[in-house]
Amino acid sequence: MDFKTKWYNRDGDVIDLLAANRLLGDPDYKRVALTEITSASDSSVKHLVSTVWLGLDHSHTGGAPVIFETMVFGDGDTVNDEWACRYSTEAEAEAGHAETVTVVAATVTDEVITQLNAWPKSPA
């Protein structure tokens, strides 16, 4: 079994460490999708569903490289908080993101779903 570290671009092509570092420094390249789920009736409810390109193969068992990840970030009190799933292709990652948004939104009363282009700014 080959345990050599391998980096991949979003198309699944092998890249060298220099290219990986350059791409990891580009937040627009790393982000596949980012969705905020809030409640219209309860302002304390806020979940972020984030899907990103990881670059580094996380398969650990061979087969197709696993280079994308969806995670849910929330208030820490819900079953969905810090849930994660990983994927081999960008198409799988996009489909997984959409499915995760649907699952999380179903747990929120009066859900409001917002597609984001960047992480929300923290209050000062």
Side-chain angles (χ1 to χ4, degrees):
M1 181 174 279
D2 180 13
F3 289 105
K4 187 174 180 182
T5 300
K6 289 189 180 175
W7 291 90
Y8 296 83
N9 65 17
R10 283 174 66 158
D11 293 327
D13 301 321
V14 175
I15 57 175
D16 62 27
L17 183 57
L18 185 62
N21 280 334
R22 183 177 44 78
L23 294 172
L24 286 166
D26 181 351
D28 292 329
Y29 189 86
K30 290 191 307 186
R31 184 179 40 259
V32 175
L34 181 63
T35 306
E36 181 179 68
I37 303 168
T38 56
S39 171
S41 60
D42 183 351
S43 63
S44 70
V45 174
K46 180 177 177 181
H47 300 280
L48 289 173
V49 178
S50 170
T51 300
V52 297
W53 164 79
L54 300 169
L56 181 65
D57 181 10
H58 285 74
S59 66
H60 306 299
T61 59
V66 176
I67 55 174
F68 296 92
E69 180 178 67
T70 296
M71 286 193 73
V72 179
F73 303 95
D75 55 16
D77 292 333
T78 65
V79 68
N80 297 317
D81 196 35
E82 297 186 17
W83 177 91
C85 191
R86 291 183 175 159
Y87 315 95
S88 294
T89 68
E90 190 165 352
E92 290 172 350
E94 289 170 345
H97 182 92
E99 181 179 351
T100 302
V101 167
T102 299
V103 168
V104 174
T107 68
V108 176
T109 304
D110 301 327
E111 77 276 359
V112 177
I113 300 172
T114 308
Q115 303 305 318
L116 302 175
N117 292 324
W119 283 94
K121 299 283 186 211
S122 298

